[in-house]
Structures are given as structure tokens and as C-alpha cells.
Amino acid sequence: MLAGGCGRETATQVIVRLYADPSVAPEADALRVSVLGEGRLREERVDPVSREQTLLAVVPLVPEGGDATRSFEVVAELLAGGRSQATLRVGGGYEAGSLRFIDAGFDAEPECAQRGDCGPGSTCQEGRCVGACFEGGADDPAREAPRCAECEACVRGRCQPLPTGNACGCPGDTCMAGRCEPQVPASDVWAGEHQTCANASGNLYCWGNNHARRVGLGPGTSSDVPVRIDTTVPGWPEAPRSVVSVAPGADHTCLLWTRPGPDRARTCWGWNGRGALGVAANSTEAFAPTEAPASEPDWVELVAGRFHTCGLAPDGQLWCWGSNSRGQAGPAPSEGLPRLVDMRRGWTQVSAGDEMTCGVIEGRAECFGSGIEGELGNGMRQDSPVPSCVVDADGECIDDFFYVAAGSTAACGLRGDGAVWCWGDNEGGLLGVEEGALVLRAAPVDTTLRFRRLTMLRRSVCGLTVEGQLACWGDNRGRFGGGHLGVGDREPRARPTLVSVDPGDRWQSVSMGAGYACGVRVGGELYCWGSNDAPSTGIAVAAGRLGLGFGLDVDDPATGRDVLTPRRVCLSDALAR
């Protein structure tokens, strides 16, 4: 979408000139410019800037395919040490056969400066918010719809809020102050290999492949839409007061919930053939939901790998149970019941990959389990049931991690300033180095974005930045489907790439599954993307894991393809029957 070529002539073009008075974010040392078209990221670049100059950048734009009825948005951010200091958005449309200039400044007059932007359908020009929505032309009726948000209408060239109460989004959603408010807002979501669960007002919603009853529904019942699990019916123990978190594995699921009072307990269901439920060893039955023994700790956190589960106790001790084929449950001598990984206290966070586990203790990221691809980050290629610290290029333990995410043959962690470092198998360009290389020691990912949370499955990563943006990178294809980075295609990304539904949106939760991902935007809207189907691995696989109502074992029926960008998932108050 950026125009290129020295001296190139174009019949339809917009030139955006970005200004900033030196008094605005004087410590800024870089400018990030993201160009979006029709709500999708088209181009992104980060360039150094001098704060002695007021003109920071000139951004030439041409419409994709020469179609002048298309819209654009330029998002500019002043960065200091990779952190956003000020943001400016410029959006609008083209005029066929015309060259237009738009001057926008971080030092704009109060109408633009105090708001930071002018909202969807408007742009900051010469210090004023002016209309940028347009109605297309009679020559192309498909493009006559205004370019405004769902709860806005284009009135005299300006996007204006629709009346409160107008229907929008999912059934029961209504417009309020120009925004679509969900009737059932979600707060968190967790994606597994074939099943997905969400928390909405403390209630549990699950959907997808119910083989081994891993969704929590009745025998043989799968669902391609979210269903509210009725935890008061027989088969469930004491009714959960409120959902805290969900840990979905390959064939089992564990729920962490609050009892009356401050205590927390876990309930697990699904296949227990390798002791993944942590309630009995060496049973291959599909268990109904089973509450853990009262003697267990009041868990702070639960996470699940393919066939093993780990939990953090209030005293900071780390416990694991289930399959220990590669040492992913620690040095415990047998499978089935929770056992301490070691005697240390002070673990603050844990993540379970396919056959490995990583956690954070005293600022160190320590991993154990499968290590043949360098996924333990200790400089070696061998399995180990004993936790070892992730090291830097000099072989020294890194001591300022605060978050870690484990995949299948790779892992990533966040250091004190939010910088992301990864190690292991680099297939898909996860580390921004030559694709396919093994990185045995942690290395920084090539990005100025700073993160507060990561989620990972196999060699793909999504993360929430400190500003609440969603960015994904790594492998974008696989045996479980493609498009799970949500960037509009199936191509791998070696650097974090922003994912959005609307320009400037913010996210509060994201989780990666096997070939798909789901996230919750600030405001409670739930979205999923990637592959809705999953190839059979010896048993009939009924998928539906995107929750979009496509049916089971099919992708988007309209296109027959994966869902390549986030799509809204609807929750209902109705209980599963």
C-alpha cells in the first residue's frame, strides 16, 4: 500500500505528512508507522527520528488494485526505547485521479491532541477532526456502505454513533455510545488441541471436539458453537462459584475454580490414560468431571501440555502429573498423581508445552522435559527431567524473566522491559534468524514491541503488548491447519505482526491452540481464527473448535478455507442440555 519507485507517477494518491513539535515526547527516538487498508495491516516500519525536526515522515499511499473507493488508515507512534509515547491516527479515502496531501501532527490543536485520534471514519487535519467516511459511487454498489464502525453511521461526511439500543454483533448485543456492547461479555479464553473454553461472568463455556468428553459435554456430544456448561447437574462435584482459569490439553481439560471462601480447587475431565487428570494412575477410561482430593493445595495456576498437567501452589511450589515420557512432569518416578517437581519455593509462573514445561523462579526461566531440539534453552540437545536455567549467548543464566511460554519444540520468555527472547526450533522463522536453524540459547526477537503476556503452541506465538495490542509471529501452517497468526494469509512471520479487528483496538486475552487461536478484546468481544478442522490421527475427529457454527470437520463453508483473520464468536446464556 506504500507507494514506491523514484519518480513514479500515480493517478490516485494520498501523501500523509507526519509532524511533531519537539516538546511532544522529547525522549522519543523512533517512529513506527503502520498502514492499514480495509481494516487489515498492509505495511509496518520503524525508523529512527531526530526530535530537532518537526517533519518526521512522509507516507505516500495508493489504493490497492487502483480502486479509489478503498479506505486507508495510518497509525503513527513515537517510541522511546521501544515503548509507545504518543499515537496519531490518520484515516480516510481516495479521490479518483487526484493527488491529496494530509498534514497531521502530534502537536495538533486540542480537538485532535486531547483525544489522541479522531475515531473511526475521521481524521486529524490541520488540528481539526474532519470527516473521512464516504459512500462510494453508483458504479460500484458493493462499495456504497459507509466506512464507519458497526455502531456508527456516516452522516454528512462524519461517522456518528447510532442510537443506543440498536442491534449489533451477536444476538442480544446492542449499540451504546457508538460501540457494540456484548450481551454476554467474555473475560478470558483458553485454546487446546481440539477444544476451547471461555470465562464469561464466572461461567464456563466450552466447545469443539468432545472425544473422551474433553469438552465436558455428554458422551458423543461435540459442539461447533460455545455452550454454557451446567456445573450443577449430577456428575460435577460441588458447583463452582466462579471460574478462575481452564487448562485444556490434548484429550483432557482441567478447571480451576473458587469454592465458597478464599479457597480454590480443580476439577478435571477427559481421558486419563496417562494420568493427566491427576486423580488416579494408569486408567484409560474417559472420566466424568472429577474433583481433586481436598488434601491438594489451593492452586494458584493450572496449565496443561498434551498429556500432562502442572500447577502452582500458594507457597510457590511447582507440582506436575500425567505423562512423563520425556521428563516433562519432572523427576517424579511414576505417572498419575501430583508430585513436587523439586523442593524449592518461589515459582511465580508456569507454562506446559507438548512434552516440556517451563517456569519462572527468582527471575530465571527454567525448563525440563523434551530438549532434543534445544527447547530447554540451556545450550544442549538432550532431554532432562530436572529444571535447568535458560542461558544467553555466553552461557550465563538470564535472571530477569517474568513470563515464559512453552510450545512443542521451542519456547519464549519476557524479560524485565517486556522484550521477548526465544529458543529452540526456528521453523517458521520464530526467532527472526535463518528459518530451520536450531537456537540452543535464548536470543532476542527482532522487534521494538514490548509484551506483557505470551501464548504459544508448537512454533507459533501470539502476545499482548504493554499497550494492549495483539501481535503474532512464527509458523503459520502445520498439520492442524493454517492461518492461526490472524494476519490474513498462511505465510510465516519472523517478526511480531499486529493483528486487529478495528484499527487501534485493544485486547485483554489471547490463547493459541493447535492450528488456531482465540482472543478477547477489551469490552468482552470474543474472536477466533485459523483452522476449524483437524486431520484425523487414527480416530474420528469432530472439530468445530473456532465456535463459529460452521459444523464439524469443515472450515469456512463460504470459502472452504481457513479463517485468516479474527472473526466474532457468540456466547449465549442458554445452558447445555
Side-chain angles (χ1 to χ4, degrees):
M1 196 162 185
L2 291 174
C6 182
R8 178 181 175 182
E9 296 290 332
T10 180
T12 303
Q13 190 173 15
V14 172
I15 305 293
V16 178
R17 295 179 291 207
L18 302 173
Y19 295 85
D21 188 275
S23 63
V24 179
E27 69 279 15
D29 54 19
L31 177 72
R32 177 165 56 219
V33 177
S34 303
V35 178
L36 299 95
E38 307 302 311
R40 291 174 53 188
L41 182 68
R42 301 295 187 185
E43 186 83 18
E44 183 178 81
R45 71 187 191 208
V46 178
D47 297 310
V49 295
S50 169
R51 298 316 323 280
E52 297 178 356
Q53 300 176 350
T54 57
L55 178 61
L56 302 183
V58 176
V59 184
L61 306 170
V62 295
E64 185 177 9
D67 183 356
T69 67
R70 292 185 177 271
S71 61
F72 67 84
E73 183 176 37
V74 175
V75 181
E77 294 178 276
L78 282 170
L79 308 175
R83 295 179 179 271
S84 179
Q85 305 296 304
T87 302
L88 178 66
R89 292 181 173 84
V90 181
Y94 299 90
E95 294 179 7
S98 298
L99 170 64
R100 291 198 303 126
F101 288 87
I102 296 179
D103 293 329
F106 288 92
D107 60 337
E109 294 174 10
E111 182 180 0
C112 296
Q114 291 180 3
R115 295 182 58 183
D117 65 81
C118 294
S122 300
T123 184
C124 184
Q125 189 169 353
E126 297 179 357
R128 296 184 304 108
C129 288
V130 299
C133 60
F134 55 95
E135 298 178 356
D139 293 338
D140 187 359
R143 294 195 174 277
E144 291 181 358
R147 304 301 196 265
C148 296
E150 184 178 17
C151 284
E152 295 180 321
C154 192
V155 180
R156 292 188 296 275
R158 296 286 300 273
C159 286
Q160 302 290 345
L162 290 173
T164 295
N166 271 38
C168 61
C170 296
D173 294 356
T174 56
C175 293
M176 184 174 296
R179 180 181 175 86
C180 188
E181 297 288 336
Q183 180 188 40
V184 182
S187 57
D188 216 337
V189 63
W190 300 270
E193 193 156 301
H194 304 291
Q195 78 275 34
T196 315
C197 292
N199 179 4
S201 301
N203 294 313
L204 176 65
Y205 289 79
C206 294
W207 60 97
N209 173 6
N210 196 44
H211 172 74
R213 298 187 66 180
R214 56 190 163 203
V215 174
L217 301 174
T221 305
S222 295
S223 179
D224 62 350
V225 295
V227 290
R228 181 179 166 192
I229 306 298
D230 188 352
T231 56
T232 65
V233 299
W236 288 84
E238 179 183 353
R241 186 179 69 177
S242 181
V243 173
V244 176
S245 64
V246 181
D251 288 321
H252 75 287
T253 305
C254 287
L255 166 68
L256 180 62
W257 52 276
T258 57
R259 304 174 189 266
D263 297 340
R264 293 180 177 185
R266 70 176 178 92
T267 296
C268 297
W269 59 92
W271 189 59
N272 195 42
R274 303 184 188 182
L277 302 187
V279 293
N282 302 321
S283 171
T284 57
E285 294 183 45
F287 276 66
T290 305
E291 186 179 357
S295 58
E296 283 191 5
D298 297 329
W299 301 106
V300 174
E301 181 178 7
L302 291 179
V303 295
R306 292 204 75 206
F307 302 114
H308 78 290
T309 314
C310 295
L312 281 183
D315 61 1
Q317 287 192 303
L318 175 59
W319 300 68
C320 292
W321 57 92
S323 175
N324 205 22
S325 57
R326 306 287 292 275
Q328 64 266 38
S334 63
E335 301 175 350
L337 296 173
R339 296 180 183 272
L340 282 170
V341 171
D342 57 32
M343 298 304 296
R344 293 178 296 172
R345 291 175 169 81
W347 294 89
T348 57
Q349 186 255 333
V350 62
S351 176
D354 277 9
E355 295 181 308
M356 63 179 293
T357 305
C358 293
V360 177
I361 181 169
E362 297 179 349
R364 296 186 306 275
E366 296 195 8
C367 300
F368 50 98
S370 173
I372 197 65
E373 303 295 334
E375 56 264 47
L376 301 187
N378 57 10
M380 296 181 287
R381 296 186 61 186
Q382 62 184 38
D383 298 350
S384 174
V386 179
S388 59
C389 67
V390 174
V391 301
D392 60 19
D394 297 325
E396 299 293 330
C397 294
I398 301 173
D399 61 4
D400 65 344
F401 281 110
F402 67 88
Y403 201 95
V404 66
S408 57
T409 55
C412 296
L414 298 179
R415 300 187 64 176
D417 62 351
V420 58
W421 288 50
C422 297
W423 55 92
D425 185 357
N426 187 48
E427 185 175 346
L430 177 68
L431 300 174
V433 299
E434 182 180 356
E435 184 173 347
L438 294 183
V439 179
L440 305 184
R441 301 176 178 182
V445 174
D446 181 18
T447 180
T448 58
L449 294 175
R450 293 296 178 261
F451 293 84
R452 59 182 174 86
R453 180 176 175 180
L454 297 175
T455 178
M456 188 172 185
L457 201 123
R458 292 177 172 81
R459 305 173 196 88
S460 306
V461 188
C462 286
L464 300 180
T465 71
V466 294
E467 294 89 6
Q469 297 166 304
L470 172 60
C472 299
W473 73 99
D475 192 13
N476 202 17
R477 296 204 63 153
R479 69 186 183 95
F480 288 101
H484 43 274
L485 297 186
V487 294
D489 56 41
R490 297 176 184 81
E491 297 301 315
R493 294 293 192 280
R495 300 178 63 236
T497 302
L498 293 178
V499 180
S500 64
V501 176
D502 296 315
D505 57 7
R506 293 295 181 261
W507 299 76
Q508 63 191 45
S509 174
V510 63
S511 181
M512 296 209 78
Y516 75 111
C518 296
V520 180
R521 290 203 302 175
V522 172
E525 304 102 323
L526 174 64
Y527 291 83
C528 290
W529 58 94
S531 175
N532 187 60
D533 192 6
S536 174
T537 56
I539 57 174
V541 176
R545 55 198 180 166
L546 297 186
L548 295 171
F550 292 162
L552 303 172
D553 285 333
V554 295
D555 286 316
D556 186 349
T559 63
R561 305 178 65 188
D562 301 327
V563 177
L564 302 180
T565 56
R567 194 171 299 184
R568 180 75 184 278
V569 179
C570 297
L571 301 177
S572 168
D573 273 331
L575 289 169
R577 299 298 181 191

